[in-house]
Amino acid sequence: LARAIDDIRERFRVVILDTPPSLGLLTLNALVAADSVLVPLQCENLALEVVDCPPAGDTVSRIAVVSVK
């Protein structure tokens, strides 16, 4: 996926990768290929607790470190 995006990067200013709300293979590939991550959520108590949840942030941080190497 990262190579496919690199091929079209010069033709588009922004490429949006919409993924399912899980950490499956598609989402992990999109996170590795992404320059930035936007996580939409509902402004409800449970959804806001997930944002503060260390495992969610740790996963994105680990993917960022691995994709740089």
Side-chain angles (χ1 to χ4, degrees):
L1 184 59
R3 281 184 246 145
I5 292 173
D6 284 340
D7 290 345
I8 63 168
R9 190 176 296 270
E10 293 178 8
R11 293 177 25 208
F12 299 97
R13 239 180 55 203
V14 176
V15 177
I16 297 175
L17 304 172
D18 187 16
T19 62
S22 66
L23 285 175
L25 188 59
L26 293 173
T27 304
L28 292 175
N29 280 325
L31 288 170
V32 169
D35 293 330
S36 302
V37 176
L38 173 68
V39 180
L41 53 92
Q42 296 176 342
C43 293
E44 297 176 358
N45 288 338
L46 184 59
L48 295 174
E49 288 177 19
V50 171
V51 172
D52 290 332
C53 177
D58 288 347
T59 300
V60 174
S61 297
R62 288 179 186 171
I63 291 169
V65 169
V66 169
S67 65
V68 171
K69 292 182 179 179

